[in-house]
Amino acid sequence: MEDTRHNFRARAAPAALFLLGMNGIVTQAILLREFLTVFHGNEMTIGIILANWMLLTGAGAFAGGRIRRANRGEGILFLLLFLNGFLPLLIAFLLPFLRSLLFPPGVMIGLIECFYGSALLLLPFCIAAGMLFPLLVPFVREEKGDALPRSYAVESIGGIAGGILLTVALLFLLPAFTILLLQFLATGIFLLLASRSRRSAGGSVAIALLLLVAAGAVLILRPDERSRQYLHPGRRIAAWMDTPYGSLAATRSGSQADFFENNSLLFSTGDVTANEEAVHFALSQRSAPARVLLLSGGVAGLIPEIEKHAVRRIDYVEINPALIGMAREMGIYAPGSRMRLFLTDGRRYAERTGERYDAALVNAPDPSTAQLNRYFSTEFFSRLKERLAPDGVVSISLASSGEYQGEDARRLHSILFNTLRASFGRVIVVPGERNYYLASDSALTLDIARNLAERGISTQYVNADYLQEDLLAARSAELADNVDPGAPVNRDFAPAAYFEQLLLWMSFFEGSAWMILPLILLLLFPGVRRMSAAGFALFAGGFAGASIEVMLILGFQILCGYLYQAVGALVAAFMAGLAAGVAIARAKKFPARIDRLDRFLPLFGLLALFVPFLLEAAARIRQDLFTSAAVGILMLAAGAAGGMTFAFASRIHTAPARTRAGELYGADLAGAALGAFAASVYLIPRFGFEAAGRAACGICLLGSIVVFAARAMEARRKERIA
Amino acid sequence: MTPSEYSRILSKREFLRCSLAGFAGCICATQNWNLLDELSRPLAAHPSLQRESGVREALFYERSAEGVHCMKCPNSCRLKEGASGICRNRVVRGGRLYSIAYGNPCAVHIDPIEKKPLFHFLPSTRAFSIAAAGCNLRCLNCQNWQISQFSPAETQNRDLPPEKVVEECAAAGSESIAYTYSEPTTFYEYALDTSVLARGKKIRNVLKSNGYINEEPLRKLAKHLDAANIDLKSFDDAVYRKLSSARLAPVLKTLQVLREEKVWLEITSLVIPSWTDDMETIARMCEWLVANGFRDSPLHFTRFTPLYKLVQLPVTPVAALEEARERARKAGMKYVYIGNVPGHAAENTFCARCGKLLIERKGYRITLLNLNKGKCSGCGETIPGVWHS
């Protein structure tokens, strides 16, 4: 037994930690996409799933640190590692299967079901992953008596490797199940190698057999296709593809093709009403719109509608090349001779192009995420205006509220109206299947049908037969009256629109948000009950680190566009920072003045305060290089601060290695979970980046006070004894 | 002191105190502390009666020792003091049931009558359309969920008592008042009183409803109705339950009662992919309609667009609507239309006997009218409906 333990400790434990970090990142990226395919993809569901993920992993770590019989052998480690590789495959299959079993077709799943459903499905995987860390730490060779921070660093390096692998290759090349199968095979091979020194060959044979069966099952049973079919019951899936931007699927029904991204309908071909409204409301405003910028939607059939206006050029921007490829393969992509295609982020293109346009059709969905909110902000509109001819027109839309706008819809409508009004002299709302907001510095009219008729433009829906002018004018006037002049302007760094969209979405569902509290309290209670000052400090560090990470990623997207690889690189930079932070804290020459948690945490807090200001500065400078460098450096710094907090906290904790690892790792993850959730779902959208920075700073100061108080009380206790 | 010594010396109470104080400070730093309150704002139920205007004692209920039994619709709510019905606009106070949707519509518009849709009822006229908040169903695809799934206490309402509705309708030159958008049978007392007044002023009354109402209140209201369009959401009770939290049988009964009461009736069936697009069920529905004397009632198959909670479905393929129409005609339905597909030929009315194009519609506009006093100008066949003389 000693021999095998020695072997494991010397070679396998760091490798297992590396694998743990790698599997964690790969699984999170893949499963998050799968979850968003099943649940509705907005900032709230993303926040819920990630918070569940980290809280459950933290709970697992806490439990792992307290298993009494864990030292008896490596069996439990092998089992947990096996589960770490295998469970993601199972979850990816169960998700759509259970969705089709438990929910009627096509129904958006609510907040409470999303919270408890994701928690239940993630529970075994996250608990196993969380337990592994404290269980592996005692096997890591101790250098300078401190294996814990080193383990943390190795796990982070595994995370970097996983992130890089995903970002540069896997997500572009392979579907979800294949990636998860490869991960399982890698884990299995590791287990086979690690178990060579074990006396029983039975285990090795069993692992090898399981690997073969799993690989065979994935290759023969094609779970990718089956899981898609569960999501589109009764419809023929013509094509599907997992892309870095989301999971695409196209179904066919006769001549109609329907495109879904993450299971939400992108568009149906032949939707005359949607296509004509999106184009003619805006283009009818000018007698001869020659140059048109189209941000998304060209595949849906907008190009032929635009070409009815005898334009000279259409510049069509689409972020996801796979969408174009899929449409082309299905024979429904009609580029047109006057069209130029740009495969990039729409906002990035609009801000950087040197072209001038007579009309810009922003065909973005409602601002349900921070990423989409960028198309509804005053900064975007003011830059877009610079790209427009003096009488240029912008068109953007929100879902219609039917015959009545509720309070949340009215606020969202007011925010968009006021935001456009901040940049343009005139704004009108044209009610339709969606409500279209037209903005310009020149005249705008509701005589849409008449203008089209005068120019001889033939349409099936946008014409006098359907748009009766007096009724259209009355509805438009009612919408204009509904605008609350006091509603805020939507800004990049104070994104009021996506918060309001979130509230509107939540109002779909009955039941209170308080219903999510029991599980959160249940998960936090054991940790809080036994939390030490060091644990709380790490909780604060986790909170601040995650808040900064969210701010920087969102900030980068706002300033540079949604560039998938760049975001992956930023996450990798954060993890590299974590590993570097551990190394820095362990260096002999580290300045003694801040070599203590209570002194270091305020610095961490200052970093959080500094981030929003840097982003504002970058927004003013508007240089990609500067922004990328600044955000990258800050990511590294935030990661390093997190790593250093971990290293300092592990120094002042007296418990045995495994218990200590469990508590600290758990506290770090719990803080990160709450920090990411609070920043992305509430603080940033409700109050802006600065408030998120202040909250993170406040938590750090609190951590510092707790540690300082603990020191002072211990000193007093010693004095009394003396 | 060595660094490791202060890791566990803070007592739990001290720790909690420090943490709570600091946490409160942090939240204050964000200038607002009611995070969960704010997040739960739209989710909270609002059953209370918050305003006095718009209140009228309800019809069709009985009092018991336990509270009140509402008998207006098949939900048959048994309510205790202070509770509100499933419809959200009938509330118990002082042992009596009150409608809080009386004279306080949140939506008031003028629509073409074709929008309801009513194709055989005074074509090209306009309907003064009103709705108060509330509905007795929970349809997953509701296009007006911001009215139907809220109580009048939560919406911004107009003060528009029945006499004012009639007055405004007349001033707007509309020939009818439509009780529509949300669910008019839930603002029953308001609709009833308004329709009585409207009749007196020679204004027609039109009901656009889910048909989920008991026989007695329906017969009372129907005496004052001129036309109704009833949603027949499916012919499968299981689908009805899942899609709308309702049952099929009461809706079928409503159709029969309206026919007996001689209210001009048109029927709408929304074809939702994966839900109500099963052609065998559609065929059974049409056979039932024919067998029960509705072959002359126009039947509208309308196209679904993803809305509200049903956003993970495609729009209905036109081919599915066309097939449904074919099934209906094969079953013997005489006037079958396709809705929400601009420019489709099945928006037009053809003579059921000679096939002549009688009414050509483009959207809500009539571009051709080949009717002579309600008869086909080709073969003289009487076309069922309510036409201008």
Side-chain angles (χ1 to χ4, degrees), chain B residues 16 38 49 68 114 127 154 212 215 252 257 271 295 318 368:
Chain B
L16 281 175
E38 184 140 2
L49 192 59
V68 153
E114 284 79 7
E154 298 169 283
Y212 211 58
E215 183 175 349
L252 297 182
V257 170
V271 181
R295 63 186 308 148
V318 176
L368 179 79

Side-chain angles (χ1 to χ4, degrees), chain B residues 76-107:
Chain B
S76 205
C77 296
R78 289 175 190 278
L79 307 167
K80 290 186 175 160
E81 183 65 29
S84 62
I86 288 172
C87 60
R88 294 188 174 93
N89 61 24
R90 297 169 93 75
V91 182
V92 183
R93 198 170 60 179
R96 292 176 184 275
L97 186 66
Y98 290 91
S99 165
I100 57 169
Y102 190 94
N104 52 351
C106 56

Side-chain angles (χ1 to χ4, degrees), chain A residues 187-239:
Chain A
T187 310
I189 289 164
F190 167 79
L191 287 174
L192 279 175
L193 293 173
S195 67
R196 272 191 315 175
S197 55
R198 287 168 67 88
R199 284 168 194 163
S200 162
S204 308
V205 174
I207 292 169
L209 274 175
L210 272 169
L211 289 177
L212 281 174
V213 169
V218 169
L219 294 172
I220 294 165
L221 298 177
R222 314 274 314 172
D224 294 79
E225 284 177 19
R226 281 170 192 261
S227 67
R228 258 74 197 168
Q229 200 59 63
Y230 285 132
L231 296 172
H232 302 281
R235 297 197 295 279
R236 189 169 70 79
I237 297 177

Side-chain angles (χ1 to χ4, degrees), chain A residues 163 193 306 355-356 393 421 427 474 487 493 549 562 570 601 610 648 655 658:
Chain A
L193 293 173
I306 298 173
E355 303 286 346
R356 290 264 166 175
V393 185
R421 198 69 184 73
V427 180
F493 295 112
E549 196 178 355
Y562 184 65
L570 289 178
L601 276 174
F610 174 66
F648 292 148
R658 189 156 46 76

